[in-house]
Amino acid sequence: MFDVKTFSITSSIIMSLFWNPAGRLLVGATLAIPMGTVGLLTWKFRDRLSEMVEMTPLAKKALLLHAGYFASCIFSFEILIEDYPMNTTGSIPASPDNLFWQMTCLSGELFFVTMCAYGLMASQDAVPRWTWLIPFAQTSYNLKNSLIWTLLYSIFSPVGKPIELMKLDAVLIAGLFVTYVYTFFTAGVSGYQRIN
């Protein structure tokens, strides 16, 4: 039988988890996803990171799609944060302070830098293999966030609810991640090699 009192107490404990040291340790544990992804690929390909890898048409399209998506995110965070679709993820504090302002600016900055990197990568016929670590770093971190926002929200969310909008984001990012993995492992090495 469902006990409202027990549920209420349990929910309060779970919702406060992030804000206590044990919760922060759990958040820290999720960082193993992006750090492990980039660390493993860097170690595995340590002797081949400078080789030039051909940019396939599929990779170029994926990078341009990703760059376009992130271009829209810049405006969503910096200018339109109180509008749809951002207003579906939560509410702006009644009295935003400098931390809130700083987080919106830093979000826009990171989306801009990544958008530029993806656009520049897509404009090339070949790139050094190490540049693929940029999309791997971003997508693996994004998928880590998707995991805690959409599946493990009952543990991590301060309000105990999933961020529904991020389910669509997760599908897009997972598809892009698969495309990047496929490119990284199958694209040919370009005849244009860097001279050491």
Side-chain angles (χ1 to χ4, degrees):
M1 177 178 245
F2 181 76
D3 180 9
V4 175
K5 184 176 181 182
T6 303
F7 177 77
S8 178
I9 292 168
T10 305
S11 295
S12 296
I13 292 169
I14 289 172
M15 288 189 290
S16 66
L17 185 60
F18 175 77
W19 306 108
N20 70 45
R24 291 180 186 198
L25 287 174
L26 286 173
V27 170
T30 67
L31 293 174
I33 296 169
M35 290 178 177
T37 300
V38 174
L40 180 65
L41 289 171
T42 301
W43 178 78
K44 175 104 173 114
F45 288 88
R46 63 190 173 277
D47 298 328
R48 297 175 52 199
L49 290 175
S50 63
E51 70 185 1
M52 298 297 284
V53 178
E54 293 175 354
M55 289 297 292
T56 65
L58 177 63
K60 287 185 178 196
K61 288 176 185 165
L63 287 164
L64 289 174
L65 173 64
H66 209 159
Y69 174 46
F70 277 13
S72 72
C73 290
I74 296 166
F75 295 101
S76 292
F77 277 89
E78 292 259 18
I79 299 170
L80 305 169
I81 198 162
E82 73 280 353
D83 297 322
Y84 182 84
M86 295 309 297
N87 63 1
T88 66
T89 65
S91 59
I92 296 173
S95 299
D97 60 14
N98 279 353
L99 179 61
F100 178 83
W101 176 41
Q102 181 185 28
M103 292 299 105
T104 59
C105 293
L106 289 174
S107 294
E109 175 186 342
L110 294 173
F111 283 121
F112 176 77
V113 170
T114 309
M115 175 199 71
C116 290
Y118 292 167
L120 290 168
M121 286 176 70
S123 73
Q124 303 300 303
D125 292 326
V127 296
R129 187 176 299 278
W130 71 262
T131 59
W132 281 103
L133 296 175
I134 298 167
F136 283 133
Q138 190 282 313
T139 54
S140 61
Y141 208 106
N142 200 143
L143 291 171
K144 182 272 302 180
N145 285 341
S146 297
L147 179 68
I148 64 174
W149 289 337
T150 64
L151 296 176
L152 302 176
Y153 62 88
S154 63
I155 297 170
F156 295 103
S157 169
V159 295
K161 294 179 183 176
I163 303 175
E164 296 292 338
L165 179 65
M166 293 299 104
K167 291 177 181 176
L168 292 173
D169 174 84
V171 170
L172 173 63
I173 297 301
L176 292 169
F177 179 77
V178 169
T179 303
Y180 300 153
V181 168
Y182 177 77
T183 301
F184 187 81
F185 287 104
T186 65
V189 176
S190 172
Y192 301 104
Q193 293 298 313
R194 186 171 63 96
I195 299 173
N196 291 329

